[in-house]
Amino acid sequence: MKKVIIVGAGFGGLTAAKILSRFDLDITIIDKTNHFVFQPLLYQVATTALSPADIAIPIRSVFSEFKNVEVLLGEVKLIDKEKKKVMFNGSELEFDYLIIATGSNHSYFGKDDWEKFAPGLKTMNDALKIREMILLSLETAEKESDPVMRQKYLNFVIIGGGPTGVELAGAISEIVIDNIIHDFRNITTSMTEVYLIEALPKILPSYPDKLSSHALEDLKKLRVEVILNEKVSEINERGIKVGDRFIESSNVLWAAGNQASPLIKTLGTETDKTGRAIVRNDLSIKEDENIFVIGDAASFKNEKDEFFPAIAPVAMQQGKYVAKIISRNLSGKSRKKFKYNDKGTMATIGKAKAVGVVKGVKLWGLIAWLAWSFIHILYLIGFRNKLRVMAEWIWYYITNRPGIRLIVKYANDTLTKI
Ligand SMILES: Cc1cc2nc3c(=O)[nH]c(=O)nc-3n(C[C@H](O)[C@H](O)[C@H](O)COP(=O)(O)OP(=O)(O)OC[C@H]3O[C@@H](n4cnc5c(N)ncnc54)[C@H](O)[C@@H]3O)c2cc1C
């Protein structure tokens, strides 16, 4: 049997593995976490609307019925494309076909020291850290009697006005500030500020102008102050500098930049300026037609010379395409060019509001939000997760009471911090 190694079981890797598992192939999946996470709903874990298990599933459990699929936990550090080997936890694994689907990390545009003051949201760990950071801030503000000192804990700053930044700003304003805060005695909604900062002239820069304007209006209704055309020049433990203004905040979140996972560098193939591998029309690297890079880790342009967006449908369709090549053992010449079927993109702004383009049709408001909810439930993996998320949303929609507000991981730090 041919050996296939898949590095990364996110949207792209998992899709490829699910298809390939039905063929006579020896498949090894390696991931540095033991779970697949549905990243589009991470912001709801970070803002206490959902619980981690609602949007994650153990990779091993997806393949429990498939004896030809082995799942290994660990981080691949090096790929030797000449020897066709993957270096992993001190051992080497050989492959006939390799699929690299390692996604992307945050990019702080060379200011890596900002990360400790402004965490980004990519993994479940990030979401849990952010959640505790927000909950801790509210607890600290509740105990602080000096209004100047207290304000730092009640200012929320989100840097980056793309979909993740917009969704975080809306959810913090609505879930954290409008709802959770009512359980406190000394702090109120009117004491809080939420800022969304975008360096470009509009939020959701990749969306049509009309939808960006709708999103802006919706955020304003949620009392989010949107700062456009301004770059953040400093982030430290006190807060951030934007233009000539300094905003004191202990809640700074980064949603501004991405770069490919560092593993891509070790491939020794050509990369673009964000570190993604430049792949050919069949998503293979130019040095080897049986090494594929897919999803956020790949740099690939469409007919109009535009990069494909870093979104889940692109990764999933690429996973499916590559699986087809491998399962049919197609060689370079018989491979058709990868074509993306663009079904659209969506972003939500709090409860019952969203914007999106679906099959070329612009949607906003409640209709967009219903479409957004339906699509997200549909693509969640596992019936139990679909049911749980739906139940949580209905409960929250009716009661306005998000449930998951535990501070546990940093309990000791909490005592010294407050
Ligand atoms: C907060 C957030 C919100 C988003 N919202 C949306 C949305 O609404 N709609 C949408 O379409 N897209 C959205 N996206 C983008 C979408 O999630 C990504 O485009 C998609 O996950 C990319 O899939 P992938 O397979 O390339 O990588 P990922 O899904 O990121 O998977 C990468 C996997 O590789 C593993 N890995 C990484 N490095 C290694 C290594 N060295 N060794 C072993 N394993 C490794 C990781 O643990 C992970 O499991 C969002 C992303 C984020 C972060």
Side-chain angles (χ1 to χ4, degrees), residues 7-13 30-33 39-40 42 74-76 101-103 121-122 164 261 263 294-297 310-313 315 346 376:
V7 187
F11 280 100
I30 309 171
D31 199 292
K32 61 183 178 184
T33 69
Q39 287 176 359
L42 269 178
E75 184 168 359
V76 175
T102 44
L121 183 61
K122 276 278 172 208
T164 301
S261 100
L263 182 66
I294 61 171
D296 285 7
I311 53 173
M346 305 200 89
H376 282 69

Coordinates of all heavy atoms in Angstrom, one line a residue, residues 7-13 30-33 39-40 42 74-76 101-103 121-122 164 261 263 294-297 310-313 315 346 376, ligand 1:
V7 N 0.0 16.1 7.4 CA 0.4 16.9 8.6 C -0.6 18.0 8.8 O -0.7 18.9 7.9 CB 1.8 17.5 8.4 CG1 2.3 18.2 9.7 CG2 2.8 16.4 7.9
G8 N -1.3 18.0 9.9 CA -2.3 19.0 10.2 C -3.7 18.5 9.9 O -4.1 18.2 8.8
A9 N -4.5 18.3 10.9 CA -5.9 17.8 10.8 C -6.9 19.0 11.0 O -7.8 18.9 11.9 CB -6.2 16.6 11.7
G10 N -6.7 20.1 10.3 CA -7.7 21.2 10.3 C -8.7 20.9 9.2 O -8.9 19.8 8.8
F11 N -9.2 22.0 8.7 CA -10.3 21.9 7.6 C -9.7 21.1 6.4 O -10.4 20.3 5.9 CB -10.8 23.3 7.2 CG -11.8 23.8 8.2 CD1 -11.4 24.8 9.1 CD2 -13.1 23.4 8.1 CE1 -12.4 25.3 10.0 CE2 -14.0 23.9 9.0 CZ -13.7 24.9 9.9
G12 N -8.5 21.5 6.0 CA -8.0 20.9 4.7 C -7.5 19.4 5.0 O -8.0 18.5 4.2
G13 N -6.7 19.2 6.0 CA -6.2 17.9 6.3 C -7.3 16.9 6.6 O -7.2 15.7 6.1
I30 N -0.8 13.4 11.4 CA 0.0 13.9 12.5 C -0.5 15.3 12.8 O -0.6 16.2 11.9 CB 1.5 14.0 12.2 CG1 2.0 12.7 11.7 CG2 2.3 14.4 13.5 CD1 3.4 12.7 11.1
D31 N -0.9 15.6 14.1 CA -1.3 16.9 14.4 C -0.8 17.2 15.8 O -0.6 16.4 16.7 CB -2.9 17.0 14.5 CG -3.3 18.5 14.4 OD1 -3.1 19.3 15.4 OD2 -3.8 18.9 13.3
K32 N -0.5 18.5 16.1 CA 0.1 18.9 17.3 C -0.9 19.0 18.4 O -0.6 19.2 19.6 CB 1.0 20.1 17.2 CG 0.3 21.4 16.8 CD 1.3 22.5 16.6 CE 0.5 23.8 16.1 NZ 1.4 24.9 15.9
T33 N -2.2 19.0 18.1 CA -3.3 18.9 19.1 C -4.0 17.6 18.8 O -3.9 17.0 17.7 CB -4.3 20.1 19.0 OG1 -5.0 19.9 17.8 CG2 -3.6 21.4 18.9
Q39 N -12.6 26.6 13.8 CA -12.1 28.0 14.1 C -13.2 29.1 13.9 O -13.2 30.1 14.7 CB -10.9 28.3 13.2 CG -9.7 27.6 13.6 CD -8.5 27.8 12.7 OE1 -8.6 28.5 11.7 NE2 -7.4 27.2 13.0
P40 N -14.1 29.0 13.0 CA -15.1 30.1 12.8 C -15.9 30.4 14.1 O -16.4 31.5 14.3 CB -16.0 29.7 11.7 CG -15.1 28.8 10.8 CD -14.2 28.1 11.8
L42 N -14.5 30.0 17.3 CA -13.6 30.2 18.4 C -14.0 31.5 19.2 O -13.8 31.5 20.4 CB -12.2 30.3 17.9 CG -11.4 29.0 17.8 CD1 -10.0 29.4 17.3 CD2 -11.2 28.3 19.2
G74 N 1.6 15.1 17.8 CA 3.0 15.6 17.9 C 3.2 16.7 16.9 O 2.4 16.8 15.9
E75 N 4.3 17.4 17.0 CA 4.5 18.5 16.1 C 5.6 18.1 15.1 O 6.8 17.8 15.5 CB 5.0 19.8 16.9 CG 5.2 21.0 16.0 CD 5.3 22.3 16.8 OE1 5.2 22.2 18.0 OE2 5.5 23.3 16.1
V76 N 5.3 18.2 13.8 CA 6.4 17.9 12.8 C 7.3 19.1 12.8 O 6.8 20.3 12.6 CB 5.7 17.6 11.5 CG1 6.8 17.5 10.4 CG2 4.9 16.4 11.5
A101 N -0.9 20.5 5.7 CA -2.1 21.4 5.9 C -2.0 22.0 7.3 O -2.9 21.8 8.1 CB -3.4 20.5 5.7
T102 N -0.9 22.7 7.5 CA -0.6 23.2 8.8 C -1.2 24.6 9.2 O -0.9 25.1 10.2 CB 0.9 23.2 9.1 OG1 1.5 23.7 7.9 CG2 1.4 21.8 9.3
G103 N -2.0 25.1 8.2 CA -2.7 26.4 8.6 C -1.7 27.6 8.7 O -0.6 27.6 8.1
L121 N -6.3 35.0 18.2 CA -7.2 33.9 18.3 C -7.1 32.9 17.2 O -7.5 33.2 16.1 CB -8.6 34.5 18.4 CG -9.8 33.5 18.6 CD1 -9.7 32.8 19.9 CD2 -11.1 34.3 18.5
K122 N -6.4 31.8 17.4 CA -6.2 30.8 16.4 C -6.6 29.4 16.9 O -7.1 28.6 16.2 CB -4.8 30.7 15.9 CG -4.4 31.7 14.9 CD -4.7 31.3 13.5 CE -4.5 32.4 12.6 NZ -5.3 32.4 11.4
T164 N -12.6 38.3 11.9 CA -12.4 37.9 13.3 C -12.5 39.1 14.2 O -13.2 39.0 15.3 CB -11.0 37.3 13.4 OG1 -11.0 36.1 12.5 CG2 -10.7 36.8 14.8
S261 N 2.5 28.6 8.8 CA 3.2 27.9 9.9 C 4.6 27.7 9.6 O 5.0 27.6 8.4 CB 2.5 26.5 10.1 OG 3.2 25.5 9.5
L263 N 6.7 25.4 9.7 CA 7.1 24.2 9.1 C 7.4 24.3 7.6 O 8.2 23.7 7.0 CB 6.0 23.1 9.3 CG 6.3 21.7 8.7 CD1 7.5 21.1 9.5 CD2 5.1 20.8 8.8
I294 N -1.8 22.6 1.2 CA -3.2 23.1 1.0 C -3.6 24.0 2.1 O -2.9 24.2 3.1 CB -4.1 21.9 0.9 CG1 -4.1 21.1 2.2 CG2 -3.8 21.0 -0.3 CD1 -5.2 20.0 2.2
G295 N -4.7 24.7 1.8 CA -5.3 25.6 2.9 C -4.5 26.8 3.1 O -3.9 27.4 2.2
D296 N -4.5 27.3 4.4 CA -3.9 28.6 4.7 C -2.4 28.6 4.5 O -1.7 29.6 4.4 CB -4.1 28.9 6.2 CG -5.6 29.4 6.5 OD1 -6.4 29.4 5.5 OD2 -5.8 29.8 7.6
A297 N -1.8 27.4 4.4 CA -0.3 27.3 4.3 C 0.1 27.4 2.8 O 1.3 27.5 2.5 CB 0.2 25.9 4.8
A310 N -8.0 33.1 2.8 CA -7.7 32.1 3.8 C -8.9 31.8 4.6 O -9.2 32.2 5.7 CB -6.6 32.6 4.8
I311 N -9.8 31.0 4.0 CA -11.0 30.6 4.6 C -11.2 29.1 4.5 O -10.6 28.4 3.7 CB -12.3 31.3 4.0 CG1 -12.3 31.2 2.5 CG2 -12.3 32.8 4.4 CD1 -13.6 31.7 1.9
A312 N -12.1 28.6 5.3 CA -12.4 27.1 5.5 C -12.8 26.5 4.1 O -12.2 25.4 3.8 CB -13.4 26.8 6.6
P313 N -13.7 27.0 3.4 CA -14.1 26.3 2.1 C -12.9 26.1 1.2 O -12.9 25.1 0.5 CB -15.2 27.3 1.5 CG -15.7 28.1 2.6 CD -14.5 28.2 3.6
A315 N -9.8 25.6 2.0 CA -9.0 24.5 2.5 C -9.7 23.2 2.3 O -9.1 22.2 1.9 CB -8.7 24.7 4.0
M346 N -19.1 35.1 5.0 CA -20.0 35.8 5.9 C -19.3 36.2 7.2 O -18.3 35.5 7.6 CB -21.2 34.8 6.3 CG -21.9 34.2 5.2 SD -23.5 33.7 5.7 CE -24.5 35.1 5.5
H376 N -23.1 27.5 9.6 CA -22.2 27.0 10.7 C -22.6 25.7 11.3 O -21.8 24.9 11.6 CB -22.0 28.2 11.7 CG -21.1 29.2 11.2 ND1 -21.4 30.1 10.2 CD2 -19.8 29.5 11.5 CE1 -20.4 30.8 9.9 NE2 -19.4 30.5 10.7
Ligands
LIG1 C1 -10.8 33.1 14.7 C2 -11.0 32.6 13.3 C3 -12.2 32.7 12.7 C4 -12.4 32.3 11.4 N1 -13.6 32.4 10.8 C5 -13.9 31.9 9.6 C6 -15.2 31.9 9.0 O1 -16.1 32.5 9.6 N2 -15.3 31.3 7.8 C7 -14.3 30.7 7.1 O2 -14.5 30.2 6.1 N3 -13.1 30.7 7.6 C8 -12.8 31.3 8.9 N4 -11.6 31.2 9.4 C9 -10.4 30.7 8.6 C10 -10.4 29.2 8.6 O3 -10.6 28.7 9.9 C11 -9.1 28.7 8.0 O4 -9.0 29.3 6.7 C12 -9.0 27.2 7.9 O5 -9.0 26.7 9.2 C13 -7.7 26.8 7.2 O6 -7.7 25.4 7.2 P1 -6.3 24.6 7.2 O7 -6.6 23.2 7.0 O8 -5.4 25.3 6.2 O9 -5.7 24.9 8.6 P2 -6.2 24.7 10.1 O10 -7.7 24.5 10.0 O11 -5.8 25.9 10.8 O12 -5.5 23.4 10.6 C14 -4.1 23.4 10.8 C15 -3.8 22.1 11.7 O13 -2.5 21.9 11.6 C16 -2.0 21.6 12.9 N5 -0.5 21.9 12.8 C17 0.1 23.1 12.6 N6 1.4 22.9 12.5 C18 1.7 21.7 12.8 C19 2.9 20.9 12.9 N7 4.1 21.4 12.7 N8 2.8 19.6 13.2 C20 1.6 19.0 13.4 N9 0.4 19.7 13.3 C21 0.5 21.0 13.0 C22 -2.8 22.4 13.8 O14 -2.8 21.9 15.1 C23 -4.2 22.4 13.1 O15 -4.9 21.3 13.6 C24 -11.3 31.7 10.7 C25 -10.1 31.5 11.3 C26 -10.0 32.0 12.6 C27 -8.6 31.8 13.3

